Amino acid sequence: MEKDLAIQKSIFSKISGIDTNKGDDFYEDLYKRCEERIDALQAVNPFTEDELEEVLVEEGYNRRDFMKWVSATTAMLMLPGFFEPLVAKTVQVLNRVPVIWINLQDCAGNSEAFLRTDGPTVDELILEIISLEFHELLMAPSGEHAEQQLENAMTTFKNEYLLFVEGAIPTAENGIYGTIGTSGETYVDHLVRLSADAKAIVAVGTCATFGGIPAAAPNPTGARGVMDIVSNKPIVNIPACPANPANMLGVILLYAMTGELPELDSLLRPKFAFGYRIHDACERRVHFDAGEYVEEWGDASAQAGHCLYKMGCKGPVTFNNCPTVKYNRGTSWPVAAGHGCIGCSEPGFFDKFDRFEAPTPFNPNYNPASDFQIAAGIGLFAAYKTATQEESAQEGYHGE
Ligand code: SF4
Ligand code: SF4
């Protein structure tokens, strides 16, 4: 499955035109800088290999699974294969990157996404070993004790912590639609205060990035995304509803390894995750190209796995790595499960895509690679898929 992901990435990165090869000099220099940084972090109380193994073994993973994850993650982060040992080493120093996580106007779905205990992925397990200094949903203290813990974390890790923000920020009526406990601090003030001493902000989920469902019309609370409120700090946006834990971990890993944030697009989204249009990596794409569409739920085309465009799939105008990273232990994603993408990671979701089952016109500004490249990529991937399915069947794996 991990190899599957790596190969899909390499095929579709070429199709999408993302610069995945910055040249030998760039990678050699980056490698040296990463090595130095990891060595420095390792000197300060790293997570030991034994401790890491303990976390994985508890959920039924072994060293081989971990190494497969390392190689898939290295490919997902668009790094050359020789970075794999560095990625593996970085996992042991993830506990040196302090994270403060706050929940604002949200359903906590992003927290749930990486907390799920029923069959967590390696990504989710590794997220458990980060240095989560504050997360009111997860920690035992509440009330004043929780507020004290937040103050302590902010003081101890001043200018070092990554501030993860989940949820939109209500701005109407001076922000009174969202306040913190007995202090009555509004979410707006809370976000601005915690941002001041953060190294960078990671907005997780579509509510925190673009306002999401709380900002849907008529938006009575004046819900906005983080980047509408904070302007003086680096911001990384990881939209989707919920954000994929693999992408959350990818940002922390890259930061731990390089000391820098990932390369971002114009919407502040990491290119490694949002540089691809869903449509170009979709396993039903061959049917789109062949004009084979589902016309009605449950019809023969639906049963044959044909394209969902006519049933409203928003894959042609949505950028995310859902088809490659997937959900539920990497076994499936909405389109594989039979429903079109509803565009949950795009700005303007929910209103922009509220007619979920009506076909959406293609984005006229999108300039895809030539049909030949796409067809070649799809063909190559289909051939690879057949080969891996045979291999998976032999190994007894029966995922997607
Ligand atoms: S329209 Fe949707 S189902 Fe069809 S190929 Fe594109 S992403 Fe896949
Ligand atoms: S497939 Fe579309 S709707 Fe589903 S999670 Fe991905 S971006 Fe969101």
Side-chain angles (χ1 to χ4, degrees), residues 39-53:
D39 286 348
L41 289 175
Q42 265 195 329
V44 198
N45 185 29
F47 204 69
T48 67
E49 248 180 76
D50 287 349
E51 284 171 314
L52 172 64
E53 206 161 314

Side-chain angles (χ1 to χ4, degrees), residues 136-219:
E136 58 195 353
L137 203 69
L138 305 185
M139 62 196 206
S142 60
E144 283 174 18
H145 298 293
E147 289 187 17
Q148 190 55 53
Q149 184 158 329
L150 176 58
E151 294 306 322
N152 292 348
M154 286 173 64
T155 311
T156 311
F157 300 106
K158 189 170 175 170
N159 299 324
E160 284 175 44
Y161 60 87
L162 295 180
L163 178 65
F164 272 62
V165 181
E166 179 176 10
I169 303 98
T171 59
E173 311 276 354
N174 292 322
I176 57 161
Y177 292 106
T179 58
I180 309 283
T182 51
S183 74
E185 183 179 39
T186 65
Y187 286 175
V188 177
D189 291 343
H190 192 58
L191 172 62
V192 169
R193 182 166 65 87
L194 268 61
S195 301
D197 291 336
K199 180 83 182 170
I201 304 172
V202 184
V204 187
T206 299
C207 302
T209 52
F210 307 129
I213 289 174
N219 191 4

Side-chain angles (χ1 to χ4, degrees), residues 206 240-242 274 278 314-315 318-323 327 333-335 339-346 349:
T206 299
C241 189
F274 297 92
I278 281 183
K314 307 298 182 265
T318 302
F319 288 74
N320 203 338
N321 56 4
C322 308
Y327 286 85
W333 66 293
V335 168
H339 195 285
C341 163
I342 59 172
C344 76
S345 57
E346 285 298 302
F349 177 85

Side-chain angles (χ1 to χ4, degrees), residues 277-289 292-293 305-310 312-317 323 333 335-336 339-341 362:
R277 195 171 61 150
I278 281 183
H279 187 59
D280 293 334
C282 176
E283 64 259 41
R284 295 183 189 236
R285 177 61 187 267
V286 281
H287 298 294
F288 175 90
D289 291 338
E292 295 169 340
Y293 301 106
H306 291 170
C307 171
L308 295 160
Y309 177 69
K310 290 189 177 177
C313 179
K314 307 298 182 265
V317 290
W333 66 293
V335 168
H339 195 285
C341 163
F362 282 93

